[in-house]
Amino acid sequence: MMYGKRSNGIQHGLVLTKPFVVDVMLDRVGYTSDKNLKTLKVIEPAAGDGGFALSIIDRLYQSSLKHNFSFQEALNNLTFYEIDKEMSEKLKIRILQRLEEYSAFLPKNTIQISNFLTSDNKLCDLIIGNPPYVRHENIPEEQKEIYRKKYKTFTHRSDLYIAFYEKSLSVLNKNGVLSFICSNRWLKNQYGKNLRSLISLNYSIEEIIDLEKTSPFEEEVIAYPAITTIKNFQKNHTPNYFEIDKLSDLDELNKKVEPSNGINFKSSNWFSYNYTGEEFEKNLDSIENQGFKIGIGVATGSDKTFIRSDFESIIEEELLVPILKSKDLKQNSLKWSGNYILNPFSNDGGLINLEKYPKAKSYLYSNKDLLTKRHISKKNPKNWYKTIDRIKPELTKKCKILLPDISGNSHLFIDKGDFYPHHNLYYILGNTYDKLVVLAAILMSDFVKSQLIELGNKMNGGYPRWQSQNLKKLRIPIIDSIPKETKEEIILAYNERRYSRINQLINPDEISKFNISVGQMKLFETRSTYLLEKARHANNGSSPISGTVRK
């Protein structure tokens, strides 16, 4: 098990696709039994327990009956990769059972128990499946090094599926097709920029089907799923983009759901909209321009070593800082799990002298083998016990809005100076506590949520993601222009968690009273009109995409 287990006990990367979705994907790429599939070479790069594989085999068999070719020989055109040995055994058993029904045997090379990303592959006509979702911090460091060298799109804090996209595209025949059900984050995020550039220059996206409002997987997961189909052929066109509300819409996609166009391939962010300009800057402003600072919590490179709840008994107290993780902010409540982070930095920014801290020295040396394998340690072996980011304990004592990157919370919490944020928490600090409360309320409003959804990704349930690059693009009311009485109402609504009242106070009609002209407010008659007008402007009058587009 290369990537460890999730909190539910299932390994990272393994989320199985519902059979109905599998069949829709195969239909839409034309791998259907009415066609002659005899010579089509197919690869599934992460086969799991066989959800895609069995359907592919069934269709190939039915095609062989209709077009009178050898099913047994055609099986040699199918290759299913699975890196996990236990899962590959399940895959093999299921395929053998199916082939027995068809009086066929399993070719030697059909199932590959290996890592698709590091395997040698022949060219193929179709790559289809559900590549594993493994966040950057859960990928072993030695694997990251391999993928960085091998795949130019695997940069920044890339999820593992980015490498799967690049590798899969590289082994497509001319006019070959790739179809993945996968996270859509790469369509907008910074780490997807190189992949977007690669596709824009060399390939053609045929369609994107946004599944964010649905549940296409066999278990409930927080994801941003989309079916993306890419062809190894360059043509100047805008792909179809479908946004569906329920899985049943997939069955008659072209009949019931109107596609919308508007991906801007000339932009580094295909979905980017322009929220700047004189008419916006006059009465709205960014968060940072109003004196706040946006930051992200500490990354260690080895959370298991540097973050524990039992440190008080084994590490010197002055080296311990209480740390808050995203899992401490769940179900609209803040419950500290008791974790501390071991701070290896001295006040001057250098590393502590371990000879002065015998407990920390003993503990860190007991974990030295693990720590020295990290990329940051290899770059500077003398500093083998440092964290990726420097820890500045003074941040703990500052009031700050806490923004979990992935969260289903409606409420945004303000830490009054008790905790240090972990790397999956963004934070905003600065100004007075009351101004932080007003800002938190503004960020909780539909006025801001709709901007975030357009700028970035949203999770299942419609919640926006909090990410620094998009927080910096937001245009919010200038807090100093809000009347004192209104600020007090906003603060009261925040403290009482009256979210509907917050939306009443932070909406175009009310914002017009914050010294915004009547002419300006015509752009804000409704939030959708506002977004539509800006999108049309950004796309030179063309219709925008209406929304955003696992294993």
Side-chain angles (χ1 to χ4, degrees), residues 471-515:
L471 285 167
K472 292 177 180 179
K473 296 176 185 177
L474 290 175
R475 294 296 179 265
I476 64 170
I478 298 173
I479 293 176
D480 286 339
S481 297
I482 301 176
K484 180 176 181 293
E485 296 79 6
T486 305
K487 286 181 185 176
E488 291 174 351
E489 284 197 72
I490 292 173
I491 291 171
L492 182 62
Y494 170 86
N495 290 331
E496 294 181 351
R497 301 195 181 194
R498 291 189 289 134
Y499 308 123
S500 60
R501 180 56 178 155
I502 288 174
N503 282 325
Q504 289 173 354
L505 294 166
I506 309 298
N507 72 76
D509 290 333
E510 290 300 316
I511 294 172
S512 66
K513 301 173 184 177
F514 306 162
N515 300 323

Side-chain angles (χ1 to χ4, degrees), residues 120-174:
D120 293 327
N121 311 101
K122 296 181 180 179
L123 295 179
C124 67
D125 304 298
L126 172 64
I127 292 187
I128 192 165
N130 184 347
Y133 305 175
V134 183
R135 298 185 71 181
H136 195 79
E137 59 268 23
N138 292 322
I139 303 173
E141 194 60 45
E142 61 271 20
Q143 292 296 318
K144 290 180 190 176
E145 283 296 303
I146 294 171
Y147 301 151
R148 288 189 190 107
K149 292 177 181 178
K150 197 172 182 66
Y151 302 108
K152 65 181 181 181
T153 61
F154 189 78
T155 57
H156 302 293
R157 296 188 59 78
S158 293
D159 194 301
L160 187 65
Y161 68 79
I162 293 291
F164 271 81
Y165 264 106
E166 181 176 342
K167 173 64 179 290
S168 298
L169 290 169
S170 72
V171 297
L172 283 179
N173 278 319
K174 188 67 174 178

Side-chain angles (χ1 to χ4, degrees), residues 326-363:
S326 62
K327 68 179 182 180
D328 297 333
L329 298 163
K330 296 291 185 183
Q331 299 177 337
N332 289 312
S333 65
L334 192 162
K335 288 186 178 181
W336 180 48
S337 54
N339 284 312
Y340 288 88
I341 185 168
L342 193 169
N343 179 15
F345 294 93
S346 58
N347 292 334
D348 62 6
L351 289 176
I352 57 172
N353 182 348
L354 291 180
E355 298 303 323
K356 296 181 179 180
Y357 301 96
K359 291 182 179 179
K361 178 182 177 181
S362 175
Y363 174 76

Side-chain angles (χ1 to χ4, degrees), residues 72-246:
Q72 183 63 63
E73 289 183 10
L75 283 172
N76 290 300
N77 292 327
L78 308 183
T79 308
F80 307 117
Y81 285 86
E82 178 50 50
I83 193 171
D84 184 76
K85 291 184 179 180
E86 182 178 343
M87 186 59 66
S88 64
E89 283 302 312
K90 294 180 181 179
L91 172 67
K92 184 176 181 179
I93 290 171
R94 295 187 72 190
I95 290 179
L96 285 173
Q97 290 173 341
R98 186 60 52 88
L99 292 180
E100 186 177 358
E101 296 176 20
Y102 299 147
S103 300
F105 60 86
L106 180 65
K108 180 180 179 181
N109 296 320
T110 299
I111 297 177
Q112 296 287 328
I113 307 174
S114 61
N115 186 349
F116 173 73
L117 295 178
T118 55
S119 299
D120 293 327
N121 311 101
K122 296 181 180 179
L123 295 179
C124 67
D125 304 298
L126 172 64
I127 292 187
I128 192 165
N130 184 347
Y133 305 175
V134 183
R135 298 185 71 181
H136 195 79
E137 59 268 23
N138 292 322
I139 303 173
E141 194 60 45
E142 61 271 20
Q143 292 296 318
K144 290 180 190 176
E145 283 296 303
I146 294 171
Y147 301 151
R148 288 189 190 107
K149 292 177 181 178
K150 197 172 182 66
Y151 302 108
K152 65 181 181 181
T153 61
F154 189 78
T155 57
H156 302 293
R157 296 188 59 78
S158 293
D159 194 301
L160 187 65
Y161 68 79
I162 293 291
F164 271 81
Y165 264 106
E166 181 176 342
K167 173 64 179 290
S168 298
L169 290 169
S170 72
V171 297
L172 283 179
N173 278 319
K174 188 67 174 178
N175 293 318
V177 175
L178 177 153
S179 181
F180 277 168
I181 179 169
C182 188
S183 169
N184 63 26
R185 292 169 66 190
W186 68 276
L187 293 165
K188 299 181 180 183
N189 282 12
Q190 181 183 10
Y191 72 56
K193 183 177 180 180
N194 287 351
L195 179 57
R196 293 194 297 270
S197 177
L198 174 70
I199 293 170
S200 296
L201 292 172
N202 302 294
Y203 303 92
S204 169
I205 290 190
E206 298 299 295
E207 69 178 15
I208 297 170
I209 305 174
D210 176 9
L211 301 174
E212 286 187 2
K213 296 179 182 178
T214 71
S215 299
F217 304 117
E218 293 286 16
E219 62 174 298
E220 289 297 323
V221 292
I222 296 177
Y224 333 92
I227 297 172
T228 304
T229 303
I230 306 172
K231 192 172 184 179
N232 186 12
F233 179 78
Q234 286 182 282
K235 63 179 177 180
N236 186 17
H237 82 126
T238 301
N240 285 332
Y241 173 88
F242 299 91
E243 186 175 33
I244 66 173
D245 295 321
K246 53 187 184 298

